[in-house]
């Protein structure tokens, strides 16, 4: 039982490049989330999904897109990376309302 | 807009001390208040959570105190150990509509031997 797995763990991008972060969970959770973590700002919600085929915007969605084609996967895309997107990205999943969220190990992204 | 305000930013205590981390929220619709613990290089993990129908919850050495009228809740760590050194995040969410955890800014705790 791997829980929540994020790929890749580290990445360096040049400004303007694109990339996709993959999140996979094996707990059959309905809800999935993408957060970014920046020093002094805690975790901020980028996008989330309440089920396969659904996505919604969080607090800081600009510059990101997501897709949830399969229940177990939640993809986060950066179409044109900017230095302001340098951050640690966390994916999480949960069974539903007001339940424990399980986090992945994070992806450290640097945009130069 | 910071919906959950957390303090202090950092905290240093000696082994055996009782660090206290405080959080305040604005949205009275919140009805679930978890605390997450994060070690360096790892994702956050649920430590303990409380719902507003109780004023206190204990799990081992960790206690949440909840004051609904003041819209505040706090984490106490009894007999703190060096292994408790981590970053702690409070959070809040509501049970209606889409579940969205809103996090505080985090408290970096160092427990010295």
């Amino acid at each position: 039982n791997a829980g929540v797995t994020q790929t890749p763990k580290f990445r360096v991008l040049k400004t303007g490049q694109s990339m996709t972060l993959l999140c996979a969970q094996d707990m059959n959770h309905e809800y999935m989330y993408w957060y970014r973590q920046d020093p002094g700002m805690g975790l901020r919600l980028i996008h989330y999904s309440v089920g396969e085929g659904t996505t919604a915007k969080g607090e800081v969605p600009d510059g990101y897109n997501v897709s949830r084609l399969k229940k177990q996967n939640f993809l986060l895309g950066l179409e044109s990376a900017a230095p302001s997107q340098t951050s640690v990205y966390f994916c999480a999943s949960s069974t539903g309302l007001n339940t424990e969220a399980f986090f992945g190990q994070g992806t450290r992204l640097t945009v130069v | 807009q910071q919906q959950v305000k957390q303090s202090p930013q950092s905290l240093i205590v000696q082994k055996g001390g009782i660090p206290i981390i405080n959080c305040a929220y604005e949205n009275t619709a919140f009805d679930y208040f978890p605390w997450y613990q994060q070690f360096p290089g790892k994702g956050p993990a649920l430590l303990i959570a409380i719902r507003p129908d109780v004023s206190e919850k204990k799990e081992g050495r960790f206690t949440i105190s909840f004051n609904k009228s003041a819209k505040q809740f706090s984490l106490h760590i009894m007999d703190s150990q060096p292994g408790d050194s981590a970053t702690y995040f409070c959070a809040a969410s509501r049970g209606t509509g889409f579940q969205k955890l809103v996090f505080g800014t985090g408290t970096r705790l160092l427990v010295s031997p």
Side-chain angles (χ1 to χ4, degrees):
Chain A
N1 188 347
V4 178
T5 303
Q6 293 183 230
T7 310
K9 290 185 171 48
F10 304 93
R11 185 73 185 268
V12 178
L13 281 181
K14 293 183 178 179
T15 298
Q17 285 185 320
S18 63
M19 78 163 294
T20 300
L21 282 67
L22 172 65
C23 177
Q25 53 96 1
D26 61 2
M27 297 174 283
N28 200 34
H29 286 169
E30 290 292 338
Y31 288 66
M32 295 188 75
Y33 318 83
W34 276 107
Y35 287 90
R36 61 177 288 173
Q37 184 175 28
D38 303 291
M41 303 192 76
L43 292 119
R44 293 181 293 167
L45 184 64
I46 304 171
H47 286 280
Y48 63 100
S49 169
V50 300
E52 181 179 315
T54 72
T55 62
K57 294 180 180 180
E59 300 172 67
V60 288
D62 293 343
Y64 306 95
N65 56 75
V66 288
S67 64
R68 183 109 181 259
L69 300 179
K70 293 183 178 181
K71 184 177 183 179
Q72 64 267 32
N73 296 336
F74 196 29
L75 278 63
L76 178 71
L78 285 73
E79 292 184 346
S80 179
S84 61
Q85 294 177 305
T86 293
S87 187
V88 181
Y89 292 85
F90 286 99
C91 175
S93 70
S94 67
T95 55
L97 299 175
N98 286 355
T99 60
E100 179 178 1
F102 292 83
F103 283 81
Q105 296 264 41
T107 296
R108 184 173 293 275
L109 175 66
T110 302
V111 183
V112 297
Chain B
Q1 182 184 2
Q2 189 66 41
Q3 296 191 53
V4 179
K5 295 184 179 179
Q6 183 172 348
S7 62
Q9 267 192 328
S10 61
L11 192 53
I12 301 174
V13 299
Q14 290 192 332
K15 178 182 175 181
I18 306 175
I20 301 173
I21 304 170
N22 300 298
C23 285
Y25 63 97
E26 299 173 356
N27 188 346
T28 55
F30 288 146
D31 56 6
Y32 177 67
F33 302 90
W35 285 88
Y36 282 79
Q37 180 188 55
Q38 184 181 30
F39 294 104
K42 304 293 186 182
L46 181 67
L47 186 63
I48 185 173
I50 196 168
R51 300 182 192 275
D53 53 344
V54 297
S55 60
E56 186 176 276
K57 183 175 181 179
K58 292 183 180 180
E59 285 188 5
R61 296 184 292 107
F62 300 91
T63 299
I64 299 179
S65 298
F66 185 82
N67 186 329
K68 188 174 181 178
S69 61
K71 294 188 287 185
Q72 296 176 345
F73 58 109
S74 59
L75 176 70
H76 302 233
I77 306 176
M78 309 301 289
D79 187 27
S80 59
Q81 302 296 312
D84 296 329
S85 297
T87 299
Y88 293 81
F89 292 95
C90 62
S93 68
R94 58 186 175 90
T96 55
F98 296 143
Q99 179 197 16
K100 292 186 287 185
L101 266 178
V102 178
F103 284 86
T105 51
T107 296
R108 182 171 291 184
L109 172 66
L110 177 63
V111 181
S112 59

